[in-house]
Amino acid sequence: MKNITLLFSLFIYTNLVIGQAVYEDERYVPETDPLVLEKLEQWQGLKFGLLMHWGAYSQWGVVESWSLCPEEYGWCARKKGSNPDDYFAYKKEYEALGKSFNPIKFNPEKWASAAKDAGMKYVVFTTKHHDGYNMFDTQYSDYKITNTETPFSKQDNADVTKAIFNAFRDNGMWAGAYFSKPDWHMDSYWDPYFPPKDRNVNYDPEAYPEKWKKYVDFTHNQILELMTNYGDIDILWLDGGWVAKKPTQDIVDWYGRSVKESATGYMKTRNINQDIEMDKLVEKAREKQPGLIVVDRAVHGKNQNYLTPENRIPEKALPYPWESCIIAGGGWSYSFNAKYMSGRKAVHTLADIVSKGGNLLLNIAPSPEGEWDKGAYKLLSEIGDWMGVNSEAIYETNAVAPYKFDNVCITEKKDGTTYLIYLMEEGAEVSSEINVPFSLDKSTAHVLGKDETLEIKVNKDNTSTIKISKSLRSELKNEIAWVIKI
C-alpha cells in the first residue's frame, strides 16, 4: 500500500496546510531534544489513553474547581452548598470538602485492569486541579488528601497519585501527571487581602514581585516532587494556559480586541503576564525524568510537545502530535447519574481520531467513594471486545489521505499495510461493495477475525471496489465496526 501514500502525497500536503489555517490558534513549535522526540514517537503509537478528573469536589458532583471562579460563565455557576449566593461562604464550604473526602472504596488496581483490557496504554491523572486540592502527598501545602485531619489519610493508599501510578505501571501503562498551574487556594496566587476577580492571579505580579516569586517557587517545588517521588513519569500535562509569560504587545492587542467586542467595556476575565519560568521548570523536570513529554496546554511555544483539542475532533489530520481529550460520560468530574457514551460511539470516535494521526484520551471520573460507575466499566468492556480483534488497525499507525471516505476510516502501518475501518451505524446493513477512492492493484484483503479473502476489482479511474459476500455481510451486520486489512 505504499503506492497509496505516494498517490495522495499532494492531497496530504494540501490538507495539512488547510489544517494549519483552520487551527491557526494551535501553532506548534517542534521539539529538539532527541530523547523527547523518541518518546513522542512512542507516544503517538500508543493511540489510546485514560484521563481521570478526581478531587474533593466529587462529593458535590459539581464541575471541577470552576464554581470558585468569579466569572460569569455557566460552568462557574454555584449550585451546591448551604448558601451559594454568598461567594465567600460558598468558598469556605467548598474548601471544607477536603476534610470530609473519604474514598474508602478506592481500588486503583481494578481501574488499571479495566483500562488495560479496553486497550488503553497510558493514564493522565489530576494530581491537582485549579482549586488547589492536592491528590498527592505534597510537602508544600496542607490542602491535600493526606492531611492528617482528612479521614482517608489513615489508609495505606492515602497518596492516591502514587497508588494510581503504581497500579497502571504494573499493568504496562505509561504514567502522566495532570497539574494545574493556577492554584486558587494558595495565598501567593489568590491573596486573601484582595477578593478574586476572575481565574487569574488577583494582584499585579510586577507590583508584588516577592509574592509572585513565592508562587513560582511553590509551583516548581510541587512539580519537582512529582518528578522525584512518584516513579517514572512519562507525561507532564499542565493545565491553566492563562498562567504563562506574555509579551506586552500581545496583551495590548488582546484588550483592544476585547473592548471592540464589548459595548459596555465590561470583561468577564483579564489577560495578565504570569511568567512562571516554564523553560527553567521543564529543564529541571527533565533532569529528574529524561525524555519527559511536557504539554503546556494552550501556550504557544517549545514546551507544548503535543496539542490537546478538547471535546472535539479536528476535521483533518494535523501537522503535529495531538490528542483529543473527550468526556466518556457526565462531565470531566464526577456527575451523579451520568450517562456514558455507547461502545459504538467510543470506537467510532477512536477510529476517527486515529485515522487523522491523533490519540484519544478518554475521561472517566471516579465517585466520592472512589469507584467508577458501572456504566464506565460497561463502556470499557465494549471497547475492549472490539480492540481484542481489531487493535492492529489502531496501534502504531499513521494518517493517510483521504483519512476517511463515506463511513470508512483509513489507517496505515509504516510497512504500508493499510486498514479500512468500516463504521457501522446501529441497524444499518453491510454494503455488498465498498468503493475505495484509490487503486488496490496487486493487493489482497480480508476482514480481521475472518478467514475469507475478499474480491478486489481495480477500476479504470484508479479507484477500487471490494466485494463483501452475502455470508460475510450476515456475520458483520451486528458489529459496531469492522476492519479490512489490505
Side-chain angles (χ1 to χ4, degrees), residues 267-278:
M267 298 179 191
K268 295 180 180 180
T269 188
R270 299 165 297 151
N271 194 338
I272 300 172
N273 179 28
Q274 300 174 67
D275 184 2
I276 207 164
E277 300 180 8
M278 185 56 63

Side-chain angles (χ1 to χ4, degrees), residues 300-311:
H300 173 59
K302 65 179 183 178
N303 299 317
Q304 190 173 201
N305 293 154
Y306 67 75
L307 275 65
T308 56
E310 184 170 320
N311 255 343

Side-chain angles (χ1 to χ4, degrees), residues 42-110:
Q42 294 172 355
W43 170 82
Q44 287 182 286
L46 301 181
K47 298 303 180 187
F48 189 25
L50 171 69
L51 177 61
M52 283 195 291
H53 280 73
W54 195 31
Y57 47 73
S58 64
Q59 296 171 86
W60 277 358
V62 297
V63 174
E64 67 292 341
S65 302
W66 282 101
S67 58
L68 293 178
C69 180
E71 294 179 0
E72 297 167 52
Y73 297 106
W75 63 82
C76 301
R78 299 187 293 275
K79 299 178 181 179
K80 294 287 184 177
S82 60
N83 190 7
D85 293 331
D86 184 328
Y87 175 82
F88 294 100
Y90 177 88
K91 185 173 186 288
K92 184 177 181 180
E93 196 170 351
Y94 176 103
E95 293 183 336
L97 292 171
K99 292 185 178 179
S100 59
F101 191 32
N102 193 23
I104 56 173
K105 296 180 181 180
F106 174 52
N107 185 348
E109 291 77 18
K110 185 178 179 181

Side-chain angles (χ1 to χ4, degrees), residues 72 255 257-269:
E72 297 167 52
Y255 277 105
R257 292 191 302 271
S258 299
V259 168
K260 289 180 181 179
E261 295 169 1
S262 174
T264 64
Y266 180 77
M267 298 179 191
K268 295 180 180 180
T269 188

Side-chain angles (χ1 to χ4, degrees), residues 125-128 134-138 140 159 161-162 165 169 176-180 219-233 235-238 285 288-289 292:
F125 177 65
T126 49
T127 64
K128 182 180 74 169
N134 297 276
M135 297 292 281
F136 68 106
D137 189 28
T138 178
Y140 296 95
D159 189 339
T161 293
K162 182 168 289 186
F165 286 166
R169 280 191 296 252
Y178 170 114
F179 184 90
S180 170
T219 304
H220 284 217
N221 287 334
Q222 281 207 309
I223 289 177
L224 291 177
E225 277 184 313
L226 290 168
M227 298 298 107
T228 304
N229 302 330
Y230 289 83
D232 292 336
I233 304 297
I235 303 167
L236 176 59
W237 213 85
L238 299 169
K288 304 288 186 180
Q289 301 284 345
L292 177 73

Side-chain angles (χ1 to χ4, degrees), residues 451-479:
D451 295 328
E452 181 178 330
T453 299
L454 304 179
E455 180 182 346
I456 299 174
K457 177 185 176 183
V458 178
N459 305 312
K460 292 181 180 180
D461 60 356
N462 280 327
T463 64
S464 304
T465 300
I466 301 176
K467 296 186 178 181
I468 311 296
S469 68
K470 184 177 180 180
S471 60
L472 189 53
R473 295 201 303 272
S474 178
E475 292 181 48
L476 297 173
K477 68 179 182 180
N478 293 321
E479 298 290 334

